Amino acid sequence: MPPAPRPLVPFSQYVVKMHGRCDLACDHCYVYEHADTSWRGKAKVIDEAVLARTAERIAEHARAHRLPAVHVVLHGGEPLLAGPARLGRAAELLRAALPADCALDLRIHTNGVRLRTRHLDLFAEHGIKVGISLDGDRAANDRHRRFADGRSSHAEVLAAVALLRRPEYRHLYAGLLCTVDVENDPVAVLDALVALEPPRVDFLLPHATWDEPPKRPAGLGGTPYADWLLAVHRRWEELGRPVPVRTFDSIHRTLRGRSSLTESLGLDPADLVVVETDGSFEQADSLKTAYDGAPATGFTVFEHSLDQVAAHPGMVERQSGLAGLAERCRACPVVRSCGGGLYAHRYRGDDGSGFRNPSVFCGDLLKLITTIRDRTVPAATVPAQDAPGGGLTGRQLDELAAGYGGADTVRALAGAQLGLTRRLVAAVGAASPAWELVTSLDAGDGAALSAVLTHPYVRAWAVRCLGGGGGTGPGGTGSGGTGPGADLGGVAELAAAAALRARRSFELPLPVRAGAVHLPTLGRVLVGGAGETVLTGDPEGFAVGGVRIGWDAPGDERWQPVRRVALADGWTPALEDTDPQRDSHQWPVSGRLDEAELRAWTGALREAWELIGRDLPGYAPGIRTGLSTVTPLRPGPAGRDVSAAARQAFGAVGIARPAAAPTLALLLAHEFQHVKLGAVLDLHDLYDRTDRRLFHAPWRPDPRPLEGLFQGTYAHLAVTEYWAARVRVLADGPERENARFQLARWRSHTIGAIEELDDSGALTPLGERFAAGMRAAVEPWLAVPVGAAAEAAAREAAAENLAQWRARVGAASG
């Protein structure tokens, strides 16, 4: 019986060629200097008819597949050669055509030499973010990126970046792209790029094939590209990971079983299509390095739909995952992270094998991935295991006290939390028959085991087993457990999930809970009944309860995988609706999301994440790094917005999907504050833990313990900044008036709570320093004018709350 046809993967990413020529003459350019010469016969500049039809095709595709968002990059050649009017028209046509429920992430990638304020004013008007190509310092950049007459382009590019770094344009700055040349100094290159404060850096291997291999200069060893990138990685770590680096972040993510951020790594299906200046659809530009005509599809925006393009054999092949790789790749221990490398880099024409080869950078990728794995996985666990009180640096604590916490700081919290989880699991699991598999995985496949142990609800389960309670809510204790050794089936579940991630062959009995076998971080299989059943795993998948699930051919509807939402800037949170341990919040969890609700959540998260990036940019890096899981909750009573953070579930928040995306943005930021502070309190004493007094929290009528007061104050740093941002961006009207009232209310509550903490006499010296940091974070928002009416309404609300609190305290003392 022939296999079922692979479902079509809709396109969510588009590259639109605005101009077919360039004002630089880079000798490493894959468009003009490599095998494909089709640029010679294409229009120099895209015309309005092509733009209009492109917009219609993208909108048609978005409606057909109910896409919550599409990502469009205006490209070239050099897109700025198309002129501001045509670039603005492209933005207008795209936004006008897309359905109202589909967001547009619009960007332009440029060499920067022509970038001026008139462009940036236009881009600000249309919400177009700007990425710039720059290969490092002047020596590195001028090795390839020169004008046709040999002049340097470096000064012009630095001037462009300087414009983007101005406060009025900073929000448009998308990042820097650097092509690797192993003859450049890697440390000098990274330092030069970091000095420009980019939101992100992307390092690209130079395009090459087996027919035209990359240069490997004598004296640089057999893996010069790995060695160069590893030198960059070492320097990046020394600097405290000052900016996200897409290549390194993708390796870290894929080693832990998560999605890649780039097509050049991982096994995620490619969902990108190119529209050329003449309206022809092409595959990824990188294929131009393979052979003349390699990216061509024969389709155009005027005659063919994007569904037809998606069914093109070349597109299907690039989406075939593990099955589409060479046999040598499928047997490689890092294939899930490497993914065979960039598709174009596998090409070999002289023996007829085409793209069924390992990457021409195979040895470099293997060394790069395994070295980063061996450098970083142990480092994530040792500090918390060996020195649980070792804690954070002063800089990191001050950063967190201000309400924020960048990627490296939140990563440090996550590493400490993983160490705590390991000790808790060890205390529970040593008596389990599955413990031998766990220790074997720890010795040989530590990354796979860590990927499961970092799942937020593993620790919640372990705490319940040890009788410590689930820790529901900020500062709460949850319900009591059932004593050491309880629920040893949980050990088997996490062992099985980790072994499957490691592609181990094994056989293990697992508990059946409510008719399902559960695999933390992966999903559940509906098998019916109760008791216990045997799961058999192998490198290609697993079987349990009569269901066979293959990694590249998933089973029937009885397999319910954990679903992730791919958001801008690489955040891919899980929508956790399968794990039985997820019921760790003070509000009940929802059941499995149906397709309609899943689409609603996906769209809401995309819009909320965009708002967080705009309104709370200081919070976004920490959320992206540390918030791995969003657990849907049941709707609250009478339409009340419901959200929670579980004290023992680092990395997760529970939320009942609100009606409006701005509310979801606020709830995500608010609850992740609780998550961060809980992790800080696991490492450092900020107050006297023996102090059992209750205190006034200005936003609540009931007295609160010190941790509850601390948690609420910290969460409301984000709330205050959120409403300050809303006052800034909303037009005059009822919504802005409400935002003014909310800002007046929450800044008053927050500064009042900080004063309550200061006056408590219970703060440690470190707690006093932390409280001072919170106070400094609120002060800028105290100066934002909101008007007399908002101030009066806020005072009235505070007085009412204080009266209720006094009544409760009086009743309790009486």
Side-chain angles (χ1 to χ4, degrees):
M1 185 175 184
R6 183 177 295 274
L8 180 150
V9 177
F11 297 113
S12 65
Q13 301 185 68
Y14 302 86
V15 172
V16 178
K17 296 301 190 77
M18 299 299 297
H19 204 282
R21 303 295 186 269
C22 190
D23 45 6
L24 292 183
C26 307
D27 59 12
H28 60 4
C29 180
Y30 58 89
V31 176
Y32 306 112
E33 302 294 336
H34 285 210
D36 185 72
T37 60
S38 62
W39 63 274
R40 299 179 188 276
K42 292 191 181 350
K44 284 188 177 181
V45 63
I46 199 167
D47 64 28
E48 174 132 355
V50 173
L51 281 174
R53 194 64 178 136
T54 298
E56 291 169 4
R57 288 296 189 193
I58 294 174
E60 170 186 84
H61 197 62
R63 278 190 292 270
H65 297 281
R66 299 179 179 178
L67 298 179
V70 296
H71 310 273
V72 179
V73 179
L74 306 179
H75 213 281
E78 171 48 51
L80 294 183
L81 290 172
R86 200 172 302 266
L87 296 171
R89 186 61 178 150
E92 291 169 354
L93 289 168
L94 286 163
R95 292 195 188 278
L98 282 173
D101 59 350
C102 181
L104 173 62
D105 175 21
L106 186 56
R107 301 179 180 230
I108 188 168
H109 195 86
T110 171
N111 58 38
V113 299
R114 291 175 177 264
L115 190 67
R116 302 292 186 269
T117 55
R118 67 178 181 274
H119 297 106
L120 294 177
D121 289 338
L122 175 81
F123 298 159
E125 177 185 350
H126 292 288
I128 303 174
K129 293 189 176 181
V130 184
I132 289 187
S133 294
L134 179 66
D135 288 349
D137 57 5
R138 176 164 182 164
N141 198 67
D142 287 356
R143 192 182 292 276
H144 301 288
R145 296 188 184 276
R146 290 179 173 270
F147 290 97
D149 61 5
R151 286 181 297 119
S152 168
S153 66
H154 191 250
E156 285 90 339
V157 182
L158 290 191
V161 175
L163 287 177
L164 277 170
R165 293 171 68 191
R166 288 184 184 177
E168 64 267 34
Y169 300 129
R170 176 77 196 190
H171 66 290
L172 302 176
Y173 191 7
L176 300 174
L177 182 148
C178 172
T179 300
V180 173
D181 188 312
V182 293
E183 293 184 296
N184 289 329
D185 181 338
V187 172
V189 167
L190 181 68
D191 286 352
L193 298 177
V194 167
L196 300 178
E197 300 180 309
R200 179 179 295 280
V201 171
D202 200 1
F203 289 102
L204 297 186
L205 292 171
H207 288 317
T209 67
W210 290 101
D211 294 344
E212 297 288 341
K215 68 177 181 181
R216 295 186 182 276
L220 293 184
T223 54
Y225 293 91
D227 297 337
W228 195 94
L229 285 167
L230 288 169
V232 173
H233 184 268
R234 186 179 297 107
R235 177 62 171 167
W236 182 62
E237 294 279 6
E238 289 171 356
L239 295 174
R241 301 184 180 185
V243 298
V245 175
R246 193 186 305 270
T247 303
F248 302 152
D249 289 342
S250 291
I251 290 172
H252 290 305
R253 291 167 61 85
T254 54
L255 284 172
R256 287 161 175 78
R258 300 174 68 188
S259 62
S260 175
L261 306 176
T262 171
E263 186 186 3
S264 61
L265 292 166
L267 290 170
D268 303 310
D271 64 347
L272 177 145
V273 66
V274 176
V275 179
E276 271 288 355
T277 53
D278 61 356
S280 55
F281 284 120
E282 289 195 347
Q283 301 177 68
D285 258 12
S286 56
L287 287 173
K288 292 178 182 292
T289 202
Y291 58 88
D292 203 4
T297 64
F299 298 145
T300 76
V301 296
F302 297 106
E303 299 171 311
H304 303 94
S305 71
L306 280 159
D307 277 9
Q308 289 175 286
V309 181
H312 183 276
M315 293 291 188
V316 173
E317 179 66 18
R318 289 175 55 240
Q319 297 171 347
S320 55
L322 192 64
L325 299 184
E327 182 178 352
R328 177 177 157 193
C329 289
R330 293 197 297 271
C332 178
V334 299
V335 64
R336 297 281 161 179
S337 186
C338 169
L342 191 69
Y343 188 75
H345 295 173
R346 308 172 200 168
Y347 182 73
R348 183 165 195 157
D350 58 6
D351 65 357
S353 57
F355 296 96
R356 286 292 176 121
N357 299 287
S359 168
V360 72
F361 294 100
C362 177
D364 295 280
L365 291 170
L366 178 62
K367 182 176 182 179
L368 176 67
I369 293 167
T370 55
T371 305
I372 288 178
R373 177 196 66 194
D374 296 341
R375 278 183 186 175
T376 59
V377 171
T381 60
V382 170
Q385 289 177 335
D386 295 346
L392 302 162
T393 67
R395 177 190 64 80
Q396 289 170 331
L397 276 165
D398 290 342
E399 191 179 311
L400 287 161
Y404 306 130
D408 64 317
T409 298
V410 174
R411 199 176 287 113
L413 288 177
Q417 290 289 297
L418 176 58
L420 292 171
T421 299
R422 279 179 166 271
R423 289 194 295 280
L424 290 167
V425 169
V428 175
S432 168
W435 191 245
E436 183 178 350
L437 178 56
V438 174
T439 56
S440 171
L441 286 161
D442 202 18
D445 294 286
L449 181 61
S450 291
V452 176
L453 294 179
T454 54
H455 181 51
Y457 299 115
V458 169
R459 176 170 163 183
W461 156 80
V463 170
R464 288 191 186 103
C465 290
L466 293 169
T472 57
T477 58
S479 57
T482 54
D487 190 14
L488 292 184
V491 182
E493 289 168 337
L494 67 89
L500 290 171
R501 284 178 171 274
R503 304 301 184 261
R504 291 279 192 100
S505 294
F506 68 97
E507 189 175 277
L508 198 63
L510 295 180
V512 178
R513 305 179 192 271
V517 169
H518 295 270
L519 297 165
T521 74
L522 298 178
R524 68 184 177 192
V525 186
L526 305 180
V527 297
E532 195 173 78
T533 189
V534 173
L535 182 146
T536 304
D538 58 57
E540 301 302 320
F542 63 96
V544 63
V547 182
R548 170 72 189 177
I549 293 96
W551 298 118
D552 295 295
D556 58 27
E557 67 280 357
R558 289 176 289 176
W559 168 235
Q560 296 184 341
V562 173
R563 296 170 295 196
R564 294 186 174 274
V565 181
L567 304 173
D569 297 325
W571 188 35
T572 55
L575 276 173
E576 180 56 86
D577 56 5
T578 66
D579 193 323
Q581 309 297 340
R582 73 189 189 279
D583 200 0
S584 299
H585 307 277
Q586 71 249 46
W587 300 98
V589 297
S590 74
R592 179 71 168 176
L593 304 179
D594 61 26
E595 288 303 316
E597 184 62 11
L598 177 62
R599 285 194 299 271
W601 263 107
T602 299
L605 281 169
R606 288 189 192 279
E607 188 176 347
W609 181 233
E610 183 177 340
L611 291 171
I612 288 172
R614 184 193 72 184
D615 296 342
L616 294 170
Y619 291 86
I623 292 173
R624 181 177 58 238
T625 303
L627 183 52
S628 65
T629 303
V630 177
T631 298
L633 304 178
R634 294 182 192 170
R640 173 183 172 186
D641 290 322
V642 164
S643 65
R647 182 67 170 80
Q648 304 293 353
F650 178 85
V653 300
I655 296 176
R657 183 176 62 83
T663 304
L664 179 57
L666 176 59
L667 295 178
L668 287 167
H670 172 266
E671 295 302 341
F672 192 61
Q673 292 292 93
H674 290 308
V675 172
K676 287 188 296 184
L677 186 59
V680 171
L681 292 173
D682 283 337
L683 294 172
H684 297 284
D685 287 331
L686 301 184
Y687 60 89
D688 179 0
R689 294 178 188 266
T690 66
D691 193 324
R692 302 300 180 191
R693 290 177 295 163
L694 298 178
F695 296 85
H696 175 225
W699 54 87
R700 294 183 63 139
D702 55 321
R704 301 293 290 154
L706 265 172
E707 181 170 350
L709 179 61
F710 227 126
Q711 283 277 8
T713 308
Y714 191 64
H716 292 139
L717 294 179
V719 173
T720 301
E721 186 166 340
Y722 171 86
W723 287 114
R726 299 295 285 172
V727 168
R728 184 180 67 248
V729 301
L730 290 172
D732 284 336
E735 284 190 40
R736 192 167 191 231
E737 285 306 310
N738 177 60
R740 286 172 170 159
F741 162 69
Q742 297 294 350
L743 173 58
R745 176 188 180 197
W746 289 110
R747 68 190 184 185
S748 172
H749 285 346
T750 307
I751 201 70
I754 293 170
E755 290 170 355
E756 185 87 354
L757 287 168
D758 284 340
D759 293 342
S760 70
L763 299 187
T764 64
L766 198 59
E768 291 174 354
R769 174 176 171 176
F770 203 90
M774 292 195 293
R775 180 185 292 275
V778 176
E779 283 175 352
W781 315 125
L782 298 177
V784 177
V786 296
E791 292 282 14
R795 284 195 298 271
E796 183 179 342
E800 181 179 350
N801 176 279
L802 182 60
Q804 292 177 357
W805 176 79
R806 285 172 172 162
R808 288 201 181 194
V809 171
S813 61

